[in-house]
Amino acid sequence: MTETADDLSAPLGQDKPRRKRRLRLPFTAMQLLAVLLGLFLATFAGFAIFNKDPLGGEPMTRLAIGEPKTTDKATGERPAAADHGQESKQETKETPKPAASGEHKTVTIIDGSSGARHDVVIGGDAADKGEVASAAPPVMAGVDQKLLEKSRYGMIPVVVDGLKPFNVYAAEADRAKAAKMPVVAIVIGGLGVGAAKTTDAIMKLPPAVTLAFTPYGSDPGKLAERARAQRHEIFLQIPMEPYDFPDNDPGPQTLLTSLSADQNMDRLYWHLSRMQGYAGITNFMGARFVATDAAMQPIIREAAKRGLGFFDDGSSPRSIAPQAAASQAMPFGKGDIAIDVVPTSAEIDRALNKLEAAARERGAAIGTASALPVSIERIGTWTKTLSDRGILLVPLTTAMLKSKSS
């Protein structure tokens, strides 16, 4: 290999081309991310510590209920707006004026669970006294805690100072008018298990229709409470032994003729504790049980002692419930016609016509039905014109009292 003059004159150790030096950062990308995160957290902590808003970060909604009084007591006139010489923009939106003594204003409250609207009157004498009056139809009285006592399963009804659940939880009715004209009561049973069908019965049927709840379902008490909020009177269905038990099984804790009186009483307490606010109890199935004197008598005595009424759905012609209830002088009623045995519109209408005829003949008649959509639709339509035909729709308790007095 021949070397040139340039090769000989090149400095030793510099015969290789130089490599470009890379720029190295004093920290890695992960370290940079950690630094930025630390700065963010420090900033947030400083804001939280030194910010004077105690509700900082909480969602807030400001609701204007009224306006400050701006009336000139001397002239009785409203002063002009400070900036524009005219009333404020809020006034042009027809914001209600503050209520003076003796005046009131109405605010609509919407129930978030049901969508029901309630008009609440604020102001006037009630507002001066710190009270709120309601313009909505009066709701039934709430559950009276004094009329409850503790059992091993929960709270169950009891009579206190002469107050009986039957009287306290009976729905409002014009009993003076009911005494002078034929009346009809309708009991819709099997509620509390299916929320959809129960809600349909509660919302689509008139308040005078009585609703009977089974003790089953995830929360039958909540549905029963909703029914009472819509002014429906409620009864509690007690599962009782049918003739073809156990092939036909009403459900857990069924009262059985093969059990002792104490065992059935323990089961009865379980059922009674499942909800509150009912005026009485009624059989759920139970053709054999209601026909067995030794099994039925203790249940009737216990219900009477606790101030409840008893309704026999009329499914068993051999039921001893009428005689047992009479011996305890307790409110009693018996179903006359099962409305939707054949669940078609034509057959339901035919049964309702029979119920109407029975009311005219005897002065009072009680029909029973389930919460089938067709039943609710036909009963709802029928009740709308019932008063035009000279018959009064009443809660079950009113029909029971009329039957007892007649």
Side-chain angles (χ1 to χ4, degrees):
M1 177 176 178
T2 305
E3 294 182 354
T4 66
D6 291 336
D7 293 332
L8 295 174
S9 61
L12 294 175
Q14 296 186 8
D15 53 339
K16 296 182 180 179
R18 291 186 178 181
R19 296 181 181 178
K20 294 183 179 180
R21 301 182 66 181
R22 295 182 180 177
L23 179 62
R24 295 185 178 179
L25 295 176
F27 40 78
T28 64
M30 291 300 295
Q31 290 172 327
L32 176 60
L33 181 61
V35 170
L36 292 176
L37 181 60
L39 289 174
F40 174 77
L41 293 177
T43 302
F44 181 80
F47 178 81
I49 293 172
F50 296 106
N51 183 31
K52 294 182 179 180
D53 183 8
L55 297 178
E58 291 292 333
M60 294 185 295
T61 300
R62 298 182 183 275
L63 177 63
I65 297 179
E67 300 175 9
K69 293 185 178 181
T70 56
T71 303
D72 189 332
K73 294 183 179 179
T75 63
E77 298 179 354
R78 292 176 59 88
D83 295 335
H84 305 286
Q86 58 185 5
E87 293 188 349
S88 67
K89 293 182 179 179
Q90 285 187 336
E91 278 300 313
T92 62
K93 293 182 180 179
E94 299 181 357
T95 303
K97 296 181 180 180
S101 179
E103 297 178 353
H104 65 272
K105 64 179 180 178
T106 302
V107 177
T108 300
I109 298 176
I110 301 177
D111 185 342
S113 60
S114 65
R117 294 173 175 263
H118 304 285
D119 291 334
V120 177
V121 180
I122 301 176
D125 295 335
D128 294 338
K129 297 176 184 178
E131 301 172 351
V132 177
S134 175
V139 298
M140 297 178 67
V143 174
D144 191 340
Q145 298 300 316
K146 294 186 301 183
L147 300 183
L148 294 172
E149 72 174 4
K150 190 174 183 179
S151 73
R152 62 178 293 191
Y153 300 110
M155 305 305 288
I156 60 177
V158 67
V159 176
V160 176
D161 298 330
L163 288 177
K164 298 181 178 181
F166 179 85
N167 298 322
V168 173
Y169 302 131
E172 293 183 1
D174 190 343
R175 292 181 180 174
K177 189 175 181 180
K180 300 176 182 178
M181 61 187 298
V183 301
V184 160
I186 293 181
V187 182
I188 305 295
L191 302 179
V193 177
K197 72 174 184 178
T198 300
T199 300
D200 280 348
I202 292 171
M203 304 305 297
K204 294 181 180 180
L205 292 173
V209 173
T210 297
L211 305 181
F213 286 77
T214 68
Y216 307 125
S218 59
D219 194 355
K222 184 176 181 180
L223 291 170
E225 183 180 330
R226 185 174 182 183
R228 296 185 72 253
Q230 294 297 321
R231 296 181 295 135
H232 287 285
E233 177 179 271
I234 65 171
F235 268 58
L236 173 64
Q237 291 181 292
I238 306 297
M240 298 179 180
E241 179 185 357
Y243 279 110
D244 53 352
F245 181 86
D247 293 334
N248 193 6
D249 189 351
Q253 303 290 329
T254 293
L255 306 191
L256 302 173
T257 57
S258 59
L259 298 178
S260 68
D262 288 342
Q263 289 173 314
N264 278 326
M265 200 63 61
D266 185 73
R267 294 189 172 198
L268 175 65
Y269 287 175
W270 184 87
H271 296 302
L272 295 178
S273 69
R274 295 287 287 157
M275 65 185 73
Q276 282 82 38
Y278 44 88
I281 62 175
T282 176
N283 59 299
F284 179 58
M285 301 174 64
R288 173 175 299 193
F289 194 90
V290 298
T292 306
D293 187 84
M296 192 64 178
Q297 286 285 0
I299 302 302
I300 293 292
R301 284 197 299 269
E302 187 68 16
K305 185 181 76 172
R306 297 191 173 277
L308 301 169
F310 187 85
F311 174 65
D312 185 332
D313 68 5
S315 59
S316 175
R318 291 188 281 180
S319 174
I320 60 96
Q323 299 89 336
S327 68
Q328 299 297 320
M330 71 184 300
F332 175 80
K334 186 173 182 178
D336 297 298
I337 294 176
I339 297 170
D340 56 358
V341 173
V342 181
T344 64
S345 296
E347 290 301 319
I348 290 174
D349 289 345
R350 187 174 289 109
L352 290 171
N353 289 334
K354 290 181 180 179
L355 187 65
E356 201 171 315
R360 288 195 175 93
E361 180 182 349
R362 301 198 295 266
I366 303 173
T368 60
S370 59
L372 294 171
V374 64
S375 302
I376 292 176
E377 190 273 325
R378 296 315 304 157
I379 292 171
T381 300
W382 177 75
T383 58
K384 291 178 181 178
T385 58
L386 188 60
S387 61
D388 297 337
R389 299 191 296 276
I391 297 179
L392 184 65
L393 178 67
V394 298
L396 175 59
T397 53
T398 301
M400 291 167 71
L401 291 174
K402 179 168 183 174
S403 299
K404 185 177 180 180
S405 60
S406 59

